[in-house]
Structures are given as C-alpha cells and as structure tokens.
Amino acid sequence: MIYYFDSVYVIGGLALLFLILLAFLKFMKRKSNMYLLCFSVMYIYLCVVLDLTQFPIYASEGMKAAMGGQNVWREMNLIPLKTIVTDFSMESVLNIIMTIPLGFGLSFLMRCS
C-alpha cells in the first residue's frame, strides 16, 4: 500500500490537528490574531516540507521489491553537509533553501534572544 500526502486521511488528519491547535492557542493561550497568522503560515510550510521530503510512503514488502530493494539505512547520510563538499548538486542547494523559512519563522513564534 502506498500512502500519498494528498490522500483524504493525511489531509483530513492534518486539517483536524490544525483546527485543534488554532482553537487551543486562541482560547487557552490567548494568542493574538497576528500570532495565529504566523502559526498558520508555519504550519502550511511544515506540511509542504513533509510532503516534499517524506511522501509517498511504501507500506508493504512487495513495494520494496518493486522499487528495486532500496535499503533506507544504506542510502542515509548521517554526516551533515558531507555530500556538499564532495558532490555539489542542485539537490543540496534546494535542501538548504528549504530550511531558510524555518529559521525566520521560528523567531515569530518563539521568543529568542
């Protein structure tokens, strides 16, 4: 079974979580409307990053065989920025650009010094 980000279950679950978090922040934490707007933008940004980096999810052994037996652990790079020095590619640049909004957006949601 393959799970796509645009399936009803994933989008419905994220939308429900979003509404619960907004209600909690508005009524329990008494956050301003501007804070809720910044929170909403960051939530959408994180959903897009999740879609680009984690989906589709293959949930059966048959799919693993159909993909050519990819091994997730063998392909994983645990040394940060290792491939940027040896193999500079557009994927590396896009990964860095993808994290820039997170750095700016967190300062709107959390107090930083």
mmCIF file of all heavy atoms in Angstrom, residues 1-43:
data_model
loop_
_atom_site.group_PDB
_atom_site.id
_atom_site.type_symbol
_atom_site.label_atom_id
_atom_site.label_comp_id
_atom_site.label_asym_id
_atom_site.label_seq_id
_atom_site.Cartn_x
_atom_site.Cartn_y
_atom_site.Cartn_z
ATOM 1 N N MET A 1 0.844 -1.173 0.000
ATOM 2 C CA MET A 1 0.000 0.000 0.000
ATOM 3 C C MET A 1 0.897 1.245 0.000
ATOM 4 O O MET A 1 1.897 1.288 0.698
ATOM 5 C CB MET A 1 -0.891 -0.008 1.241
ATOM 6 C CG MET A 1 -1.786 1.196 1.318
ATOM 7 S SD MET A 1 -2.913 1.156 2.717
ATOM 8 C CE MET A 1 -4.095 -0.029 2.138
ATOM 9 N N ILE A 2 0.518 2.226 -0.768
ATOM 10 C CA ILE A 2 1.268 3.473 -0.849
ATOM 11 C C ILE A 2 0.402 4.585 -0.245
ATOM 12 O O ILE A 2 -0.772 4.723 -0.578
ATOM 13 C CB ILE A 2 1.604 3.835 -2.309
ATOM 14 C CG1 ILE A 2 2.418 2.733 -2.965
ATOM 15 C CG2 ILE A 2 2.347 5.153 -2.367
ATOM 16 C CD1 ILE A 2 2.663 2.958 -4.429
ATOM 17 N N TYR A 3 1.003 5.353 0.643
ATOM 18 C CA TYR A 3 0.307 6.488 1.230
ATOM 19 C C TYR A 3 0.848 7.769 0.612
ATOM 20 O O TYR A 3 2.036 8.035 0.666
ATOM 21 C CB TYR A 3 0.523 6.525 2.745
ATOM 22 C CG TYR A 3 -0.120 5.358 3.449
ATOM 23 C CD1 TYR A 3 0.647 4.293 3.896
ATOM 24 C CD2 TYR A 3 -1.483 5.314 3.646
ATOM 25 C CE1 TYR A 3 0.070 3.217 4.528
ATOM 26 C CE2 TYR A 3 -2.079 4.238 4.285
ATOM 27 C CZ TYR A 3 -1.298 3.203 4.724
ATOM 28 O OH TYR A 3 -1.874 2.141 5.343
ATOM 29 N N TYR A 4 -0.041 8.515 0.013
ATOM 30 C CA TYR A 4 0.326 9.792 -0.578
ATOM 31 C C TYR A 4 -0.116 10.915 0.343
ATOM 32 O O TYR A 4 -1.060 10.773 1.112
ATOM 33 C CB TYR A 4 -0.336 9.978 -1.947
ATOM 34 C CG TYR A 4 0.201 9.040 -2.988
ATOM 35 C CD1 TYR A 4 -0.487 7.892 -3.330
ATOM 36 C CD2 TYR A 4 1.411 9.299 -3.608
ATOM 37 C CE1 TYR A 4 0.007 7.025 -4.281
ATOM 38 C CE2 TYR A 4 1.916 8.437 -4.561
ATOM 39 C CZ TYR A 4 1.202 7.304 -4.896
ATOM 40 O OH TYR A 4 1.708 6.452 -5.830
ATOM 41 N N PHE A 5 0.563 12.056 0.240
ATOM 42 C CA PHE A 5 0.234 13.187 1.096
ATOM 43 C C PHE A 5 -1.162 13.720 0.803
ATOM 44 O O PHE A 5 -1.857 14.172 1.700
ATOM 45 C CB PHE A 5 1.258 14.307 0.894
ATOM 46 C CG PHE A 5 1.081 15.446 1.840
ATOM 47 C CD1 PHE A 5 1.537 15.351 3.134
ATOM 48 C CD2 PHE A 5 0.458 16.610 1.446
ATOM 49 C CE1 PHE A 5 1.377 16.401 4.030
ATOM 50 C CE2 PHE A 5 0.298 17.665 2.323
ATOM 51 C CZ PHE A 5 0.758 17.557 3.607
ATOM 52 N N ASP A 6 -1.588 13.654 -0.454
ATOM 53 C CA ASP A 6 -2.878 14.225 -0.809
ATOM 54 C C ASP A 6 -4.041 13.257 -0.604
ATOM 55 O O ASP A 6 -5.137 13.509 -1.088
ATOM 56 C CB ASP A 6 -2.861 14.745 -2.243
ATOM 57 C CG ASP A 6 -2.474 13.687 -3.245
ATOM 58 O OD1 ASP A 6 -2.104 12.577 -2.825
ATOM 59 O OD2 ASP A 6 -2.540 13.978 -4.450
ATOM 60 N N SER A 7 -3.840 12.187 0.144
ATOM 61 C CA SER A 7 -4.952 11.293 0.439
ATOM 62 C C SER A 7 -5.866 11.936 1.472
ATOM 63 O O SER A 7 -5.485 12.829 2.215
ATOM 64 C CB SER A 7 -4.445 9.946 0.962
ATOM 65 O OG SER A 7 -3.932 10.077 2.268
ATOM 66 N N VAL A 8 -7.079 11.470 1.512
ATOM 67 C CA VAL A 8 -8.098 12.049 2.403
ATOM 68 C C VAL A 8 -7.685 11.907 3.867
ATOM 69 O O VAL A 8 -7.887 12.824 4.661
ATOM 70 C CB VAL A 8 -9.461 11.359 2.152
ATOM 71 C CG1 VAL A 8 -10.509 11.843 3.131
ATOM 72 C CG2 VAL A 8 -9.909 11.581 0.722
ATOM 73 N N TYR A 9 -7.088 10.793 4.210
ATOM 74 C CA TYR A 9 -6.727 10.551 5.605
ATOM 75 C C TYR A 9 -5.619 11.488 6.087
ATOM 76 O O TYR A 9 -5.681 12.021 7.188
ATOM 77 C CB TYR A 9 -6.305 9.097 5.811
ATOM 78 C CG TYR A 9 -7.401 8.122 5.483
ATOM 79 C CD1 TYR A 9 -7.289 7.258 4.409
ATOM 80 C CD2 TYR A 9 -8.572 8.085 6.239
ATOM 81 C CE1 TYR A 9 -8.300 6.365 4.100
ATOM 82 C CE2 TYR A 9 -9.588 7.207 5.944
ATOM 83 C CZ TYR A 9 -9.449 6.355 4.869
ATOM 84 O OH TYR A 9 -10.453 5.479 4.568
ATOM 85 N N VAL A 10 -4.608 11.678 5.266
ATOM 86 C CA VAL A 10 -3.489 12.532 5.670
ATOM 87 C C VAL A 10 -3.919 13.992 5.726
ATOM 88 O O VAL A 10 -3.697 14.682 6.724
ATOM 89 C CB VAL A 10 -2.289 12.347 4.716
ATOM 90 C CG1 VAL A 10 -1.186 13.327 5.041
ATOM 91 C CG2 VAL A 10 -1.779 10.923 4.790
ATOM 92 N N ILE A 11 -4.555 14.482 4.672
ATOM 93 C CA ILE A 11 -5.001 15.878 4.641
ATOM 94 C C ILE A 11 -6.053 16.123 5.717
ATOM 95 O O ILE A 11 -6.026 17.140 6.416
ATOM 96 C CB ILE A 11 -5.550 16.244 3.245
ATOM 97 C CG1 ILE A 11 -4.444 16.183 2.205
ATOM 98 C CG2 ILE A 11 -6.210 17.607 3.255
ATOM 99 C CD1 ILE A 11 -3.411 17.264 2.321
ATOM 100 N N GLY A 12 -6.987 15.190 5.885
ATOM 101 C CA GLY A 12 -8.017 15.335 6.913
ATOM 102 C C GLY A 12 -7.433 15.365 8.313
ATOM 103 O O GLY A 12 -7.825 16.177 9.153
ATOM 104 N N GLY A 13 -6.469 14.480 8.563
ATOM 105 C CA GLY A 13 -5.827 14.447 9.877
ATOM 106 C C GLY A 13 -5.044 15.715 10.168
ATOM 107 O O GLY A 13 -5.107 16.266 11.271
ATOM 108 N N LEU A 14 -4.309 16.209 9.165
ATOM 109 C CA LEU A 14 -3.553 17.445 9.359
ATOM 110 C C LEU A 14 -4.477 18.649 9.524
ATOM 111 O O LEU A 14 -4.189 19.546 10.317
ATOM 112 C CB LEU A 14 -2.588 17.660 8.196
ATOM 113 C CG LEU A 14 -1.394 16.719 8.146
ATOM 114 C CD1 LEU A 14 -0.609 16.916 6.862
ATOM 115 C CD2 LEU A 14 -0.508 16.916 9.349
ATOM 116 N N ALA A 15 -5.592 18.671 8.793
ATOM 117 C CA ALA A 15 -6.552 19.768 8.925
ATOM 118 C C ALA A 15 -7.204 19.745 10.305
ATOM 119 O O ALA A 15 -7.374 20.790 10.944
ATOM 120 C CB ALA A 15 -7.609 19.691 7.829
ATOM 121 N N LEU A 16 -7.562 18.572 10.778
ATOM 122 C CA LEU A 16 -8.150 18.450 12.116
ATOM 123 C C LEU A 16 -7.157 18.870 13.190
ATOM 124 O O LEU A 16 -7.504 19.617 14.121
ATOM 125 C CB LEU A 16 -8.627 17.016 12.351
ATOM 126 C CG LEU A 16 -9.289 16.741 13.691
ATOM 127 C CD1 LEU A 16 -10.581 17.544 13.813
ATOM 128 C CD2 LEU A 16 -9.563 15.267 13.843
ATOM 129 N N LEU A 17 -5.914 18.440 13.067
ATOM 130 C CA LEU A 17 -4.873 18.839 14.010
ATOM 131 C C LEU A 17 -4.673 20.353 13.987
ATOM 132 O O LEU A 17 -4.531 20.990 15.032
ATOM 133 C CB LEU A 17 -3.568 18.124 13.685
ATOM 134 C CG LEU A 17 -2.372 18.478 14.565
ATOM 135 C CD1 LEU A 17 -2.613 18.044 15.998
ATOM 136 C CD2 LEU A 17 -1.113 17.852 14.008
ATOM 137 N N PHE A 18 -4.691 20.929 12.801
ATOM 138 C CA PHE A 18 -4.534 22.381 12.653
ATOM 139 C C PHE A 18 -5.657 23.129 13.369
ATOM 140 O O PHE A 18 -5.407 24.090 14.104
ATOM 141 C CB PHE A 18 -4.502 22.751 11.165
ATOM 142 C CG PHE A 18 -4.429 24.214 10.913
ATOM 143 C CD1 PHE A 18 -3.303 24.935 11.249
ATOM 144 C CD2 PHE A 18 -5.492 24.884 10.332
ATOM 145 C CE1 PHE A 18 -3.225 26.294 11.016
ATOM 146 C CE2 PHE A 18 -5.429 26.239 10.091
ATOM 147 C CZ PHE A 18 -4.292 26.945 10.436
ATOM 148 N N LEU A 19 -6.893 22.694 13.176
ATOM 149 C CA LEU A 19 -8.024 23.367 13.823
ATOM 150 C C LEU A 19 -7.965 23.229 15.343
ATOM 151 O O LEU A 19 -8.265 24.182 16.072
ATOM 152 C CB LEU A 19 -9.339 22.824 13.276
ATOM 153 C CG LEU A 19 -9.617 23.139 11.807
ATOM 154 C CD1 LEU A 19 -10.886 22.438 11.350
ATOM 155 C CD2 LEU A 19 -9.719 24.637 11.591
ATOM 156 N N ILE A 20 -7.562 22.077 15.832
ATOM 157 C CA ILE A 20 -7.444 21.875 17.276
ATOM 158 C C ILE A 20 -6.348 22.769 17.849
ATOM 159 O O ILE A 20 -6.538 23.415 18.893
ATOM 160 C CB ILE A 20 -7.173 20.388 17.588
ATOM 161 C CG1 ILE A 20 -8.414 19.559 17.280
ATOM 162 C CG2 ILE A 20 -6.741 20.202 19.036
ATOM 163 C CD1 ILE A 20 -8.191 18.061 17.323
ATOM 164 N N LEU A 21 -5.212 22.843 17.162
ATOM 165 C CA LEU A 21 -4.120 23.702 17.629
ATOM 166 C C LEU A 21 -4.508 25.177 17.604
ATOM 167 O O LEU A 21 -4.188 25.926 18.527
ATOM 168 C CB LEU A 21 -2.866 23.477 16.790
ATOM 169 C CG LEU A 21 -2.116 22.175 17.029
ATOM 170 C CD1 LEU A 21 -1.018 21.995 16.001
ATOM 171 C CD2 LEU A 21 -1.564 22.127 18.430
ATOM 172 N N LEU A 22 -5.202 25.606 16.543
ATOM 173 C CA LEU A 22 -5.652 27.005 16.485
ATOM 174 C C LEU A 22 -6.621 27.324 17.618
ATOM 175 O O LEU A 22 -6.505 28.381 18.250
ATOM 176 C CB LEU A 22 -6.317 27.301 15.138
ATOM 177 C CG LEU A 22 -5.418 27.731 14.012
ATOM 178 C CD1 LEU A 22 -6.244 28.068 12.784
ATOM 179 C CD2 LEU A 22 -4.542 28.892 14.381
ATOM 180 N N ALA A 23 -7.568 26.447 17.873
ATOM 181 C CA ALA A 23 -8.523 26.674 18.957
ATOM 182 C C ALA A 23 -7.805 26.709 20.308
ATOM 183 O O ALA A 23 -8.109 27.564 21.157
ATOM 184 C CB ALA A 23 -9.591 25.588 18.944
ATOM 185 N N PHE A 24 -6.853 25.814 20.511
ATOM 186 C CA PHE A 24 -6.096 25.795 21.755
ATOM 187 C C PHE A 24 -5.315 27.093 21.949
ATOM 188 O O PHE A 24 -5.324 27.681 23.033
ATOM 189 C CB PHE A 24 -5.150 24.590 21.775
ATOM 190 C CG PHE A 24 -4.253 24.554 22.968
ATOM 191 C CD1 PHE A 24 -4.738 24.171 24.199
ATOM 192 C CD2 PHE A 24 -2.914 24.901 22.863
ATOM 193 C CE1 PHE A 24 -3.913 24.137 25.313
ATOM 194 C CE2 PHE A 24 -2.078 24.881 23.959
ATOM 195 C CZ PHE A 24 -2.579 24.488 25.194
ATOM 196 N N LEU A 25 -4.628 27.537 20.901
ATOM 197 C CA LEU A 25 -3.842 28.767 21.003
ATOM 198 C C LEU A 25 -4.717 29.992 21.202
ATOM 199 O O LEU A 25 -4.363 30.901 21.942
ATOM 200 C CB LEU A 25 -2.965 28.946 19.765
ATOM 201 C CG LEU A 25 -1.815 27.966 19.620
ATOM 202 C CD1 LEU A 25 -1.154 28.119 18.263
ATOM 203 C CD2 LEU A 25 -0.801 28.144 20.727
ATOM 204 N N LYS A 26 -5.867 30.023 20.546
ATOM 205 C CA LYS A 26 -6.739 31.204 20.633
ATOM 206 C C LYS A 26 -7.442 31.288 21.982
ATOM 207 O O LYS A 26 -7.489 32.347 22.602
ATOM 208 C CB LYS A 26 -7.763 31.168 19.486
ATOM 209 C CG LYS A 26 -8.705 32.341 19.458
ATOM 210 C CD LYS A 26 -7.977 33.601 19.100
ATOM 211 C CE LYS A 26 -8.945 34.763 18.983
ATOM 212 N NZ LYS A 26 -8.265 36.014 18.781
ATOM 213 N N PHE A 27 -8.009 30.184 22.428
ATOM 214 C CA PHE A 27 -8.859 30.241 23.616
ATOM 215 C C PHE A 27 -8.140 29.892 24.920
ATOM 216 O O PHE A 27 -8.455 30.464 25.962
ATOM 217 C CB PHE A 27 -10.077 29.333 23.420
ATOM 218 C CG PHE A 27 -10.920 29.754 22.253
ATOM 219 C CD1 PHE A 27 -11.059 28.934 21.154
ATOM 220 C CD2 PHE A 27 -11.547 30.993 22.243
ATOM 221 C CE1 PHE A 27 -11.828 29.326 20.073
ATOM 222 C CE2 PHE A 27 -12.311 31.392 21.165
ATOM 223 C CZ PHE A 27 -12.448 30.554 20.072
ATOM 224 N N MET A 28 -7.181 28.994 24.881
ATOM 225 C CA MET A 28 -6.488 28.619 26.112
ATOM 226 C C MET A 28 -5.257 29.480 26.370
ATOM 227 O O MET A 28 -5.008 29.877 27.498
ATOM 228 C CB MET A 28 -6.075 27.143 26.065
ATOM 229 C CG MET A 28 -7.237 26.212 25.941
ATOM 230 S SD MET A 28 -8.309 26.324 27.356
ATOM 231 C CE MET A 28 -8.670 24.641 27.627
ATOM 232 N N LYS A 29 -4.500 29.754 25.335
ATOM 233 C CA LYS A 29 -3.270 30.532 25.493
ATOM 234 C C LYS A 29 -3.467 32.019 25.221
ATOM 235 O O LYS A 29 -2.545 32.810 25.420
ATOM 236 C CB LYS A 29 -2.172 29.990 24.557
ATOM 237 C CG LYS A 29 -1.724 28.593 24.884
ATOM 238 C CD LYS A 29 -0.945 28.584 26.170
ATOM 239 C CE LYS A 29 -0.363 27.205 26.424
ATOM 240 N NZ LYS A 29 0.447 27.169 27.613
ATOM 241 N N ARG A 30 -4.642 32.402 24.703
ATOM 242 C CA ARG A 30 -4.987 33.813 24.436
ATOM 243 C C ARG A 30 -3.969 34.503 23.516
ATOM 244 O O ARG A 30 -3.499 35.597 23.778
ATOM 245 C CB ARG A 30 -5.103 34.610 25.732
ATOM 246 C CG ARG A 30 -6.038 34.019 26.747
ATOM 247 C CD ARG A 30 -7.449 34.429 26.462
ATOM 248 N NE ARG A 30 -8.311 33.984 27.556
ATOM 249 C CZ ARG A 30 -9.465 33.406 27.374
ATOM 250 N NH1 ARG A 30 -9.908 33.221 26.174
ATOM 251 N NH2 ARG A 30 -10.180 33.026 28.386
ATOM 252 N N LYS A 31 -3.632 33.825 22.430
ATOM 253 C CA LYS A 31 -2.688 34.390 21.469
ATOM 254 C C LYS A 31 -3.406 35.373 20.549
ATOM 255 O O LYS A 31 -4.604 35.255 20.289
ATOM 256 C CB LYS A 31 -2.032 33.286 20.625
ATOM 257 C CG LYS A 31 -1.208 32.313 21.438
ATOM 258 C CD LYS A 31 0.019 32.990 22.005
ATOM 259 C CE LYS A 31 0.887 31.978 22.734
ATOM 260 N NZ LYS A 31 2.096 32.550 23.261
ATOM 261 N N SER A 32 -2.643 36.352 20.032
ATOM 262 C CA SER A 32 -3.224 37.373 19.149
ATOM 263 C C SER A 32 -3.479 36.806 17.759
ATOM 264 O O SER A 32 -2.970 35.737 17.389
ATOM 265 C CB SER A 32 -2.267 38.554 19.041
ATOM 266 O OG SER A 32 -1.094 38.165 18.360
ATOM 267 N N ASN A 33 -4.239 37.553 16.979
ATOM 268 C CA ASN A 33 -4.538 37.123 15.612
ATOM 269 C C ASN A 33 -3.276 37.110 14.745
ATOM 270 O O ASN A 33 -3.145 36.281 13.845
ATOM 271 C CB ASN A 33 -5.606 38.019 14.986
ATOM 272 C CG ASN A 33 -6.966 37.781 15.617
ATOM 273 O OD1 ASN A 33 -7.234 36.714 16.159
ATOM 274 N ND2 ASN A 33 -7.829 38.771 15.540
ATOM 275 N N MET A 34 -2.359 38.034 14.982
ATOM 276 C CA MET A 34 -1.115 38.058 14.216
ATOM 277 C C MET A 34 -0.280 36.819 14.519
ATOM 278 O O MET A 34 0.325 36.239 13.600
ATOM 279 C CB MET A 34 -0.328 39.329 14.547
ATOM 280 C CG MET A 34 0.800 39.558 13.625
ATOM 281 S SD MET A 34 0.124 39.715 11.976
ATOM 282 C CE MET A 34 1.507 40.319 11.102
ATOM 283 N N TYR A 35 -0.234 36.397 15.758
ATOM 284 C CA TYR A 35 0.475 35.173 16.124
ATOM 285 C C TYR A 35 -0.168 33.976 15.430
ATOM 286 O O TYR A 35 0.527 33.099 14.915
ATOM 287 C CB TYR A 35 0.444 34.979 17.638
ATOM 288 C CG TYR A 35 1.177 33.744 18.101
ATOM 289 C CD1 TYR A 35 2.536 33.804 18.375
ATOM 290 C CD2 TYR A 35 0.527 32.532 18.245
ATOM 291 C CE1 TYR A 35 3.228 32.673 18.787
ATOM 292 C CE2 TYR A 35 1.201 31.401 18.650
ATOM 293 C CZ TYR A 35 2.549 31.474 18.924
ATOM 294 O OH TYR A 35 3.229 30.353 19.317
ATOM 295 N N LEU A 36 -1.496 33.929 15.411
ATOM 296 C CA LEU A 36 -2.192 32.823 14.762
ATOM 297 C C LEU A 36 -1.923 32.810 13.255
ATOM 298 O O LEU A 36 -1.824 31.744 12.655
ATOM 299 C CB LEU A 36 -3.693 32.899 15.041
ATOM 300 C CG LEU A 36 -4.090 32.696 16.504
ATOM 301 C CD1 LEU A 36 -5.586 32.847 16.664
ATOM 302 C CD2 LEU A 36 -3.622 31.359 17.027
ATOM 303 N N LEU A 37 -1.792 33.987 12.651
ATOM 304 C CA LEU A 37 -1.454 34.057 11.228
ATOM 305 C C LEU A 37 -0.053 33.495 10.986
ATOM 306 O O LEU A 37 0.152 32.685 10.076
ATOM 307 C CB LEU A 37 -1.550 35.492 10.718
ATOM 308 C CG LEU A 37 -1.118 35.698 9.274
ATOM 309 C CD1 LEU A 37 -2.124 35.047 8.337
ATOM 310 C CD2 LEU A 37 -0.982 37.167 8.974
ATOM 311 N N CYS A 38 0.911 33.906 11.799
ATOM 312 C CA CYS A 38 2.278 33.385 11.670
ATOM 313 C C CYS A 38 2.309 31.883 11.917
ATOM 314 O O CYS A 38 3.005 31.145 11.213
ATOM 315 C CB CYS A 38 3.218 34.105 12.623
ATOM 316 S SG CYS A 38 3.507 35.810 12.200
ATOM 317 N N PHE A 39 1.554 31.419 12.895
ATOM 318 C CA PHE A 39 1.473 29.991 13.181
ATOM 319 C C PHE A 39 0.889 29.236 11.992
ATOM 320 O O PHE A 39 1.382 28.169 11.614
ATOM 321 C CB PHE A 39 0.609 29.753 14.428
ATOM 322 C CG PHE A 39 0.411 28.306 14.753
ATOM 323 C CD1 PHE A 39 1.394 27.597 15.417
ATOM 324 C CD2 PHE A 39 -0.745 27.651 14.380
ATOM 325 C CE1 PHE A 39 1.225 26.257 15.711
ATOM 326 C CE2 PHE A 39 -0.923 26.315 14.665
ATOM 327 C CZ PHE A 39 0.059 25.617 15.324
ATOM 328 N N SER A 40 -0.136 29.802 11.364
ATOM 329 C CA SER A 40 -0.773 29.161 10.216
ATOM 330 C C SER A 40 0.192 29.054 9.039
ATOM 331 O O SER A 40 0.262 28.014 8.371
ATOM 332 C CB SER A 40 -2.014 29.935 9.786
ATOM 333 O OG SER A 40 -2.945 29.994 10.828
ATOM 334 N N VAL A 41 0.948 30.111 8.789
ATOM 335 C CA VAL A 41 1.922 30.088 7.697
ATOM 336 C C VAL A 41 2.992 29.035 7.965
ATOM 337 O O VAL A 41 3.373 28.272 7.060
ATOM 338 C CB VAL A 41 2.539 31.487 7.488
ATOM 339 C CG1 VAL A 41 3.726 31.441 6.556
ATOM 340 C CG2 VAL A 41 1.489 32.453 6.975
ATOM 341 N N MET A 42 3.477 28.965 9.192
ATOM 342 C CA MET A 42 4.495 27.957 9.530
ATOM 343 C C MET A 42 3.926 26.538 9.435
ATOM 344 O O MET A 42 4.623 25.621 9.007
ATOM 345 C CB MET A 42 5.044 28.205 10.938
ATOM 346 C CG MET A 42 6.070 29.289 11.006
ATOM 347 S SD MET A 42 7.533 28.978 10.008
ATOM 348 C CE MET A 42 8.223 27.567 10.835
ATOM 349 N N TYR A 43 2.681 26.357 9.812
ATOM 350 C CA TYR A 43 2.051 25.044 9.732
ATOM 351 C C TYR A 43 1.946 24.599 8.276
ATOM 352 O O TYR A 43 2.263 23.450 7.941
ATOM 353 C CB TYR A 43 0.670 25.076 10.388
ATOM 354 C CG TYR A 43 0.064 23.720 10.569
ATOM 355 C CD1 TYR A 43 0.385 22.938 11.665
ATOM 356 C CD2 TYR A 43 -0.838 23.199 9.637
ATOM 357 C CE1 TYR A 43 -0.166 21.678 11.839
ATOM 358 C CE2 TYR A 43 -1.389 21.943 9.803
ATOM 359 C CZ TYR A 43 -1.050 21.193 10.904
ATOM 360 O OH TYR A 43 -1.587 19.947 11.069
#
